[in-house]
């Protein structure tokens, strides 16, 4: 009953986060791809947000989704096929797409509880740690493939644990297939599959389960993952910085801390280094207290994603370290730490709970595109200048989704359009979401500051946007009134 209560609480908490957090860059790719507009053809010049709502709805066939992913993206298709079916049933809204991930996350949490019970671990601490880990809650609401990959990976682990305990080859095969399906959802979930196969291989009594598990896992890797990966592996050159051990180690420490405790140091201002140090010491103490000889796969599974990311970066000369990727470790870290006593577990869970509150309500952890749209909406009649970005998806998508239908928008694809007689205020969105958007926003900002009509800001710039008041508007209206008086027609 207590586990059921925790699952209900988790569903409510994640639903609130899914509703409250602003739309994000990568989510736009999911929505446009499954709506049949992988790269929307936005109108040239000024248009209204309401006139392009159609790009957010529509349908795409499985074949079209697969073809677009092979030519334009770096992800396998299982999640996007699932999302396309979900949107047909539930609707095309951003929130509806996020609720699919919320459903998968609640199922993943239930599997954490089941695994804990089957391995004689405290159930509620394992589930609570997982739920309140910032990285799990964050990836658990996004309209991206993380939540589905997480639940499939946990299902595979649960089946293989059962197979190893009972000597059931059929369950080992099913576990391998589930882990393979996780990799066909997100390639990085294959680290979990590889770690489970290694765990089976390390002890003689578990080795009979290795062959069927490897067969199921390998089936997906060879027949499904490999064709997509070979078509995509060079699709986004320069997405990550070149590999460096020092840089990779720094990112691992920073993002692993963020996966556990979110943006807590960000809220502390000048005390941020002290807060970060205290959180590090708290976690290190908990990890040390929980460490003991253990035949479970949980330490291996928790270590697999960060080690896998380092190996991946070394092979491909990149540094693919992000909070979202490290989130695959969190349920297994929670299972490992579950036996902690209250005097250590309580402050750990309290710090995590504060981080999840920040996830829901702190602007510092949210992307700014929607905040720019909200600024424009507070000043009716303004023209919003929005960077086109790398490909017209991740920057315009969230802005337009958050803008009212009447909001006038122009996408910055090149030089700033002539605004000398705009006769309206201007909101310049400055999301900084990718290199292209940062460059176009900087160019537009410089041009507006040189324009005699816009050189004075009406209010200070925010992280999301800058509002420019048209100082020539009164002159324009006076001149028009004079012309009307001379020639009423």
């Amino acid at each position: 009953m207590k586990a059921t209560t925790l699952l209900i609480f988790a569903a409510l908490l994640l639903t609130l986060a899914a509703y409250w957090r602003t739309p994000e860059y990568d989510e736009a790719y999911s929505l446009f791809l499954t709506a049949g507009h992988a790269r929307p053809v936005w109108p040239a010049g000024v248009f209204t947000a309401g006139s392009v709502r159609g790009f957010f709805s529509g349908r795409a066939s499985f074949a079209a989704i697969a073809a677009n992913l092979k030519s334009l993206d770096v992800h396998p298709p299982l999640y996007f096929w699932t999302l396309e079916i979900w949107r047909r049933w539930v609707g095309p809204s951003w929130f509806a797409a996020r609720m699919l991930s919320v459903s998968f996350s609640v199922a993943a949490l239930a599997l954490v509880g089941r695994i804990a019970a089957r391995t004689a671990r405290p159930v509620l601490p394992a589930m609570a740690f997982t739920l309140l880990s910032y990285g799990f809650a964050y990836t658990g609401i996004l309209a991206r493939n993380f939540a589905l990959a997480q639940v499939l990976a946990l299902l595979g682990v649960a089946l293989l644990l059962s197979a190893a305990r009972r000597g059931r080859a059929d369950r080992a095969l099913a576990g391998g297939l589930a882990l393979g399906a996780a990799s066909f959802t997100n390639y990085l979930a294959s680290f979990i599959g590889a770690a489970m196969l290694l765990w089976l291989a390390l002890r003689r009594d578990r080795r009979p389960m290795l062959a069927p598990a490897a067969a199921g896992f390998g089936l997906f890797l060879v027949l499904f993952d490999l064709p997509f990966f070979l078509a995509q592996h060079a699709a986004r050159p320069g997405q990550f910085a070149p590999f460096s051990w020092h840089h990779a180690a720094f990112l691992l420490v920073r993002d692993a801390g963020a996966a556990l405790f979110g943006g807590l140091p960000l809220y502390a201002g000048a005390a941020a280094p002290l807060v970060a140090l205290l959180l590090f010491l708290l976690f290190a103490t908990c990890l040390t207290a929980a460490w003991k000889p253990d035949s479970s796969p949980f330490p291996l599974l928790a270590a697999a994603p960060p080690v896998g990311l380092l190996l991946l970066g070394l092979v491909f000369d990149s540094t693919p370290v992000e909070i979202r990727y490290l989130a695959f470790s969190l349920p297994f870290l929670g299972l490992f730490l579950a036996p902690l006593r209250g005097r250590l577990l309580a402050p750990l869970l309290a710090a995590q709970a504060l981080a999840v509150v920040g996830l829901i309500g702190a602007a510092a952890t949210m992307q700014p595109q929607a905040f720019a749209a909200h600024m424009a909406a507070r000043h009716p009649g303004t023209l919003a200048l929005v960077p086109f970005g790398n490909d017209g998806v991740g920057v315009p998508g969230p802005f337009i989704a958050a803008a009212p239908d009447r909001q006038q928008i122009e996408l910055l694809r090149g030089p700033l359009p002539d605004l000398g007689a705009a006769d309206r205020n201007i909101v310049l969105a400055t999301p900084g979401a990718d290199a292209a958007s940062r460059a176009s926003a900087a160019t537009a900002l410089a041009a507006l500051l040189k324009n005699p009509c816009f050189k004075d800001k009406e209010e200070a710039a925010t992280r999301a946007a800058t509002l420019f008041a048209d100082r020539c508007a009164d002159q324009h209206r006076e001149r028009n009134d004079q012309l009307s008086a001379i020639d009423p027609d």
Side-chain angles (χ1 to χ4, degrees):
M1 182 61 70
K2 291 180 179 179
T4 301
T5 302
L6 182 56
L7 288 174
I8 293 172
F9 171 76
L12 294 174
L13 180 70
L14 294 175
T15 298
L16 177 62
Y19 178 79
W20 200 257
R21 277 187 70 86
T22 58
E24 296 207 359
Y25 188 99
D26 285 351
E27 292 179 295
Y29 287 85
S30 301
L31 269 65
F32 290 136
L33 175 67
T34 53
H37 311 285
R39 297 294 183 270
V41 183
W42 304 110
V46 178
F47 60 92
T48 63
S51 69
V52 294
R53 296 286 184 216
F55 285 129
F56 293 89
S57 58
R59 295 182 177 180
S61 68
F62 280 16
I65 290 173
N68 278 316
L69 286 172
K70 283 186 175 181
S71 61
L72 300 171
D73 214 322
V74 291
H75 293 287
L78 184 57
Y79 165 75
F80 302 101
W81 288 341
T82 307
L83 178 62
E84 201 279 332
I85 296 171
W86 173 265
R87 296 182 81 209
R88 289 188 188 185
W89 178 44
V90 176
S93 74
W94 210 292
F95 177 65
R98 284 182 166 182
M99 286 305 296
L100 176 63
S101 293
V102 169
S103 302
F104 289 139
S105 297
V106 174
L109 203 61
L111 281 169
V112 170
R114 185 173 183 83
I115 292 170
R118 292 294 177 88
T119 56
R121 304 265 166 168
V123 172
L124 292 181
M127 295 174 67
F129 177 92
T130 301
L131 172 63
L132 297 177
S133 293
Y134 182 94
F136 179 86
Y138 171 53
T139 58
I141 65 168
L142 292 179
R144 295 297 282 172
N145 54 31
F146 301 102
L148 176 56
Q150 189 81 272
V151 73
L152 288 171
L154 284 162
L155 177 61
V157 169
L159 287 168
L160 288 180
L161 286 170
S162 176
R165 186 175 64 255
R166 299 186 178 184
R168 294 280 300 273
D170 56 338
R171 291 194 181 184
L173 176 61
L177 289 171
L179 290 169
S183 73
F184 196 48
T185 303
N186 186 302
Y187 295 130
L188 301 182
S190 60
F191 299 147
I192 302 299
M196 275 305 292
L197 294 184
L198 177 60
W199 180 75
L200 290 175
L202 287 176
R203 282 205 11 198
R204 182 178 300 178
D205 59 333
R206 296 192 292 255
R207 286 175 195 162
M209 300 298 104
L210 180 60
F217 185 53
L219 178 69
F220 270 91
L221 292 184
V222 175
L223 296 184
F224 300 107
D225 289 2
L226 190 59
F228 277 87
F229 182 79
L230 291 177
Q232 298 168 332
H233 78 278
R236 291 186 185 175
Q239 181 182 8
F240 299 106
F243 184 79
S244 160
W245 282 108
H246 295 294
H247 183 51
F250 167 76
L251 290 180
L252 275 177
V253 172
R254 185 195 69 181
D255 289 352
L260 290 167
F261 302 114
L264 289 183
L266 297 178
Y267 316 142
L274 176 60
V275 171
L277 177 61
L278 291 175
L279 292 172
F280 173 79
L281 292 175
L282 172 62
F283 176 69
T285 302
C286 292
L287 196 62
T288 302
W291 198 265
K292 60 182 178 181
D294 192 345
S295 62
S296 79
F298 304 137
L300 191 60
L301 291 168
V307 172
L309 290 173
L310 285 177
L311 294 175
L312 190 68
L314 189 60
V315 171
F316 292 101
D317 190 27
S318 65
T319 314
V321 180
E322 292 186 3
I323 297 172
R324 300 175 300 173
Y325 307 155
L326 294 171
F328 287 117
S329 294
L330 295 170
F332 308 109
L333 186 59
L335 286 161
F336 177 72
L337 294 175
L340 282 173
R341 295 185 180 275
R343 67 177 184 274
L344 286 177
L345 188 63
L348 181 63
L349 294 179
Q352 288 183 297
L354 289 175
V356 172
V357 171
L359 170 77
I360 297 172
T365 66
M366 300 186 199
Q367 293 186 11
Q369 295 93 309
F371 292 118
H374 297 160
M375 175 187 277
R378 289 197 299 270
H379 302 273
T382 59
L383 171 64
L385 300 177
V386 182
F388 183 78
N390 285 341
D391 49 24
V393 178
V395 177
F399 182 97
I400 294 169
D405 284 347
R406 294 184 179 181
Q407 178 62 58
Q408 294 184 321
I409 300 167
E410 184 162 2
L411 298 184
L412 298 174
R413 307 168 191 260
L416 188 70
D418 181 15
L419 300 171
D423 196 21
R424 73 185 91 181
N425 297 335
I426 301 293
V427 166
L428 172 64
T430 52
D434 52 40
S437 65
R438 288 191 294 271
S440 60
T443 300
L445 182 64
L448 285 166
L449 290 173
K450 292 179 181 178
N451 188 309
C453 291
F454 300 103
K455 64 181 180 180
D456 296 323
K457 301 173 189 176
E458 179 176 311
E459 61 182 35
T462 68
R463 182 172 67 100
T466 303
L467 174 67
F468 289 87
D470 183 0
R471 304 304 184 188
C472 300
D474 291 338
Q475 300 175 19
H476 299 158
R477 284 191 288 271
E478 183 178 346
R479 181 180 179 186
N480 291 335
D481 290 343
Q482 292 174 351
L483 292 174
S484 298
I486 295 173
D487 185 4
D489 296 329

